[in-house]
Every structure is written in structure tokens, then in C-alpha cells.
Amino acid sequence: MNSNLKFIETELMPLRIKLREHDLYKTLSSIEDIKFFMESHVFAVWDFMSLLKALQINLTSVSLPWLPKKNTNLVRFINEITLAEESDVNKDGVFKSHFEMYVDAMKELRADTSLIKTFLQSIQEGSTVKKSLELVYVSDAVKEFVNFTFDIINSKETHKIAAAFTYGREDIIPDMFLKIVEETSSKENITFDNFTYYLERHIELDGDEHGPLSLQMIEELCGDDNTKWQDVLDVAKRALQVRINLWTAVKQKLESKKEPILA
């Protein structure tokens, strides 16, 4: 691994450990808990797609007339990731984005999709992301998370966008959710096929393909520019911190819902 990438991995380790060992995971113990979590987390799934498209716009030719890009390695990297994230095959053989697959999984669990639906409808009608967030009843942590993402996108600095895309992931989520889903399915004789497929696909792509490709993309974008490498580290730290903040907010809200009502 590139020495700069190794340095970033070392510097991010305290935040990664904090995220990996977050108390939220101890709080999630049932399908009802997962449903509640997903109703906030779906906004992070959505804005990940926006990071992806920002990278595709910056790294490939999406305007007319078409012109070749100098760095065809980056063109290949981002198009491979886009192909899977924006048009993967769901369990029924239908092409769908991972965001749409996530929403399908929410519907299968009977989680509330009205907030994300209202949010997206507002954007489709011409409102900004910031204004659309104000129209839905989501936590300040969700707003902070999405607004941070779009601040990075609006910087139009590709290496910073790549940093948020690469290091702002939640590696532990699929494994943890699969365990809860399997236990619930066994106890209650219920199947969650859409959700299980999404999680397994997420693990397969992020671990085997997208993770390594994203690191190569960072290396290609930064080259020998020390300022860019420092930017990547700073953005990565902020990306992990806003996710930790989101996890904390979900945990606190979930715990408040579970507190007994005192007479």
C-alpha cells in the first residue's frame, strides 16, 4: 500500500475504532430497532449516491461534444463503481440502484419511507438539499451529515469528494444486521429476502471490489501533492465524525423510545 494511504489509515484508526465500537450496536437488538435505524440511515445511503455521481461528473466525460479524459484509469474506476451502485441486479434480476434496493428492504421490514420520499419529492420540484431537509422531521445529526456531504460536493475538488466517498463508509453495518435478521427469521419464521440480499451484496462489493478501487482512486488523484493528501485526511476525519454523530443521535433517540413510562 502507498505510504500516504498507510499514514491515513493509521491516523483514522481512533475514529474507526470509535465507530466500530459505538454503543449504538449494543442498542440494536431487534427488527424494530433496525427499522428505526434505517429511517435515518437511508439519508446517508442516498447522499452516498450523490458523492458517486459527483465523482463521475468530475472524472469522466458527461458533456457534449465528448472529449477523452487523460487519466483513463480513473475513468475506468469510477465507471465500474457506478455500474454496480446505480444499476446493480436485485434478487429478482431487476436492475436497480443500491439506494432503491435499500428502500425496497425498508418496505419489506415495514419501516417508514415517507420522510425520504417527501425529501426527494421536494428536490424533484426544484428545492435545494438544505431546504428539502428542513421540510422533513429528521434529527439535526441527519441534517449535519447530508449538509457536510454537499459542502464537500460543492467544493468541486475531486480529491476531497473521493475522500468522503472512500472513508465515510460503515463497514460494520451489514454483518451486524445480518446477524439480527438471521436470529429474527429463525425465531419468528419470517424471511427478509430483499434486506438479506442487499446486505450480502453490500458486503461482497465493498469488500472485494469497491474498497480497493476507491483507494486506488485516492492515490491517482493525489499523486505527489502533499496538500491534497492532507485534504484527504482532513475530509476523511470529518466524514467519520459526522457518521459517529449520526450514530449517537440514533442511539439516544432509540433509547428514549425504550424508556419505561413512569407513573
Side-chain angles (χ1 to χ4, degrees), residues 7-115:
F7 178 74
I8 288 174
E9 289 291 330
T10 301
E11 288 292 301
L12 294 182
M13 190 55 65
L15 284 169
R16 284 190 175 278
I17 291 173
K18 193 172 181 180
L19 188 60
R20 194 178 303 128
E21 298 178 356
H22 199 286
D23 287 343
L24 169 67
Y25 306 128
K26 300 173 186 175
T27 308
L28 295 169
S29 59
S30 68
I31 292 297
E32 288 300 314
D33 295 341
I34 291 179
K35 285 164 58 175
F36 181 80
F37 172 89
M38 293 177 82
E39 289 161 11
S40 290
H41 182 236
V42 67
F43 287 86
V45 176
W46 173 79
D47 81 357
F48 179 80
M49 298 299 298
S50 296
L51 281 170
L52 171 64
K53 297 309 290 185
L55 286 173
Q56 190 179 39
I57 289 168
N58 289 356
L59 296 177
T60 71
S61 293
V62 293
S63 58
L64 296 174
W66 179 87
L67 291 171
K69 290 287 187 177
K70 290 182 180 180
N71 195 325
T72 51
N73 284 335
L74 290 180
V75 172
R76 178 73 178 191
F77 292 160
I78 201 63
N79 280 339
E80 282 190 12
I81 294 174
T82 302
L83 176 65
E85 293 286 348
E86 194 174 31
S87 56
D88 203 1
V89 181
N90 74 0
K91 72 177 184 63
D92 298 317
V94 177
F95 295 116
K96 285 194 174 185
S97 68
H98 282 191
F99 169 76
E100 291 167 305
M101 290 165 63
Y102 192 90
V103 172
D104 286 344
M106 289 180 69
K107 291 176 180 177
E108 180 181 58
L109 269 64
R110 297 184 180 178
D112 184 4
T113 60
S114 63
L115 293 179

Side-chain angles (χ1 to χ4, degrees), residues 12-238:
L12 294 182
M13 190 55 65
L15 284 169
R16 284 190 175 278
I17 291 173
K18 193 172 181 180
L19 188 60
R20 194 178 303 128
E21 298 178 356
H22 199 286
D23 287 343
L24 169 67
Y25 306 128
K26 300 173 186 175
T27 308
L28 295 169
S29 59
S30 68
I31 292 297
E32 288 300 314
D33 295 341
I34 291 179
K35 285 164 58 175
F36 181 80
F37 172 89
M38 293 177 82
E39 289 161 11
S40 290
H41 182 236
V42 67
F43 287 86
V45 176
W46 173 79
D47 81 357
F48 179 80
M49 298 299 298
S50 296
L51 281 170
L52 171 64
K53 297 309 290 185
L55 286 173
Q56 190 179 39
I57 289 168
N58 289 356
L59 296 177
T60 71
S61 293
V62 293
S63 58
L64 296 174
W66 179 87
L67 291 171
K69 290 287 187 177
K70 290 182 180 180
N71 195 325
T72 51
N73 284 335
L74 290 180
V75 172
R76 178 73 178 191
F77 292 160
I78 201 63
N79 280 339
E80 282 190 12
I81 294 174
T82 302
L83 176 65
E85 293 286 348
E86 194 174 31
S87 56
D88 203 1
V89 181
N90 74 0
K91 72 177 184 63
D92 298 317
V94 177
F95 295 116
K96 285 194 174 185
S97 68
H98 282 191
F99 169 76
E100 291 167 305
M101 290 165 63
Y102 192 90
V103 172
D104 286 344
M106 289 180 69
K107 291 176 180 177
E108 180 181 58
L109 269 64
R110 297 184 180 178
D112 184 4
T113 60
S114 63
L115 293 179
I116 189 68
K117 183 178 179 181
T118 299
F119 171 72
L120 293 181
Q121 184 176 342
S122 174
I123 291 175
Q124 288 170 346
E125 292 171 354
S127 290
T128 63
V129 169
K130 192 179 291 285
K131 287 182 179 179
S132 298
L133 280 171
E134 296 299 329
L135 293 177
V136 292
Y137 185 69
V138 293
S139 69
D140 288 341
V142 169
K143 295 175 184 177
E144 176 195 34
F145 190 98
V146 176
N147 285 328
F148 163 76
T149 295
F150 278 85
D151 285 344
I152 296 300
I153 289 172
N154 291 333
S155 76
K156 301 189 185 304
E157 295 186 78
T158 310
H159 65 291
K160 292 182 179 180
I161 299 170
F165 179 88
T166 300
Y167 293 106
R169 298 172 183 267
E170 66 280 7
D171 301 339
I172 195 172
I173 289 294
D175 288 323
M176 179 192 65
F177 277 9
L178 275 174
K179 183 178 179 182
I180 295 173
V181 168
E182 287 168 1
E183 289 176 355
T184 304
S185 298
S186 176
K187 288 177 184 176
E188 301 182 17
N189 195 28
I190 302 173
T191 58
F192 302 102
D193 293 341
N194 286 319
F195 193 33
T196 302
Y197 181 89
Y198 170 85
L199 294 172
E200 290 175 343
R201 188 67 176 144
H202 188 88
I203 293 169
E204 177 185 359
L205 287 174
D206 279 0
D208 297 341
E209 299 177 33
H210 292 181
L213 282 177
S214 296
L215 292 176
Q216 290 179 52
M217 177 173 60
I218 293 286
E219 190 172 356
E220 291 269 348
L221 287 169
C222 292
D224 297 323
D225 190 326
N226 291 330
T227 300
K228 286 186 176 180
W229 280 110
Q230 184 60 50
D231 287 343
V232 166
L233 177 58
D234 292 343
V235 170
K237 284 183 176 179
R238 290 167 61 200

